[in-house]
Amino acid sequence: MGRKKYIILIVVIVIFFLIMIILFGKDSLKKSGERLTIIVGNNTVWSYRDKKWSNKGSNYDELNWKKYHVYYDNEEKGDYYLWHDDKWYAFDSNKNAVPFHGELLAYESNRDISIASFSTEEIEDDSTVSQMLEKNNIPNTNQFSSKYQVPFDIDGDGEDEIFYVISNVFALDFRPDTIFSIVYMVKDNKIYSIYEDVTANDSFNGCKPILRSFLDIDQDNQYELILSCGYYSNSRRSDMLYRFTDDREFKILISNQ
């Protein structure tokens, strides 16, 4: 009788754990098997394996001559083989070179990824720009080297959020005492900071931000974004992958720095 009770107990425990896996562990198990490689520009490669992000660095031998889904300037081009020699080159299935121009974004994965197109616009309302300058103790100014907005629905609620990029870095016709690069989002009249860099001007220091891409990497209808930051020296550039979290803040998932 004791042995029978023991067997029943084991069966109940096994059934319990199977139910827990079905109810709560399905997504976790699915994510643990996800494979994703993202190429941004000429020198940034990110890898997602075992629910962890990593930089592939300059390990191009294991990346060359693989087929990737290729975009240039967020325009879909199709599936091509890529090969790296200071920059990426695209080839068709017969290894014929295919010339493309623009900013490269490519991925290889065992799941679908959505990459969205977007457009930049002149900033219509300067009120939040003034707020962000004041927050960073910057005198209100009309001197910018970059100043634009991007409407985009990042969280899938059917309403466009507005993304702002403002900077006076690398100005050619004026020399400010303080240089700044600020990127933020406005949703429901609330400002959400993405990137802020404010420093004294010291001969071409700082970096100039560019809102590069919006992409849904996990099929949840909520988009991540790639922000790049260019320095005066062309030898380096920061690329950062952000997510707008459930806590309503932007978090860097991975960068190339």
Side-chain angles (χ1 to χ4, degrees), residues 7-201:
I7 293 173
I8 292 173
L9 178 62
I10 294 296
V11 171
V12 170
I13 292 173
V14 170
I15 293 173
F16 173 79
F17 277 106
L18 287 174
I19 293 172
M20 291 300 101
I21 289 174
I22 292 171
L23 292 178
F24 304 107
K26 184 179 179 181
D27 289 340
S28 179
L29 288 172
K30 181 181 177 182
K31 288 183 178 181
S32 67
E34 290 173 346
R35 182 190 76 249
L36 173 61
T37 299
I38 300 176
I39 298 173
V40 184
N42 286 323
N43 297 302
T44 295
V45 183
W46 295 320
S47 175
Y48 185 79
R49 299 285 190 283
D50 299 323
K51 297 191 284 187
K52 293 181 181 179
W53 287 99
S54 63
N55 276 291
K56 299 297 286 186
S58 56
N59 231 348
Y60 296 116
D61 287 343
E62 64 182 64
L63 301 168
N64 282 337
W65 298 118
K66 288 187 176 181
K67 187 171 280 190
Y68 298 87
H69 205 63
V70 173
Y71 290 72
Y72 277 88
D73 291 338
N74 297 303
E75 181 181 344
E76 185 176 10
K77 299 298 183 181
D79 294 330
Y80 293 93
Y81 293 95
L82 294 181
W83 180 73
H84 190 276
D85 182 16
D86 293 328
K87 60 175 286 187
W88 289 101
Y89 296 88
F91 298 84
D92 63 20
S93 57
N94 295 317
K95 300 294 178 72
N96 296 314
V98 180
F100 289 124
H101 303 284
E103 175 72 15
L104 171 68
L105 179 64
Y107 74 87
E108 186 276 327
S109 181
N110 60 353
R111 64 185 180 193
D112 292 329
I113 289 179
S114 298
I115 296 176
S117 59
F118 64 91
S119 59
T120 62
E121 304 173 347
E122 290 187 8
I123 292 178
E124 300 173 354
D125 182 356
D126 274 336
S127 59
T128 60
V129 173
S130 298
Q131 290 180 52
M132 292 302 285
L133 294 176
E134 182 178 355
K135 172 192 171 186
N136 286 280
N137 298 313
I138 301 168
N140 209 336
T141 178
N142 60 359
Q143 294 180 317
F144 299 89
S145 56
S146 287
K147 184 183 180 186
Y148 61 88
Q149 68 180 33
V150 173
F152 188 81
D153 181 12
I154 196 172
D155 56 5
D157 65 354
E159 298 288 336
D160 281 346
E161 288 70 46
I162 307 297
F163 294 82
Y164 293 81
V165 177
I166 56 174
S167 176
N168 66 351
V169 173
F170 309 148
L172 298 178
D173 53 352
F174 60 93
R175 180 177 171 80
D177 294 329
T178 300
I179 58 174
F180 60 85
S181 291
I182 300 172
V183 183
Y184 62 96
M185 180 189 79
V186 174
K187 177 180 175 63
D188 298 329
N189 297 315
K190 183 175 179 180
I191 296 174
Y192 297 86
S193 178
I194 301 173
Y195 179 88
E196 297 179 27
D197 181 32
V198 181
T199 186
N201 195 352

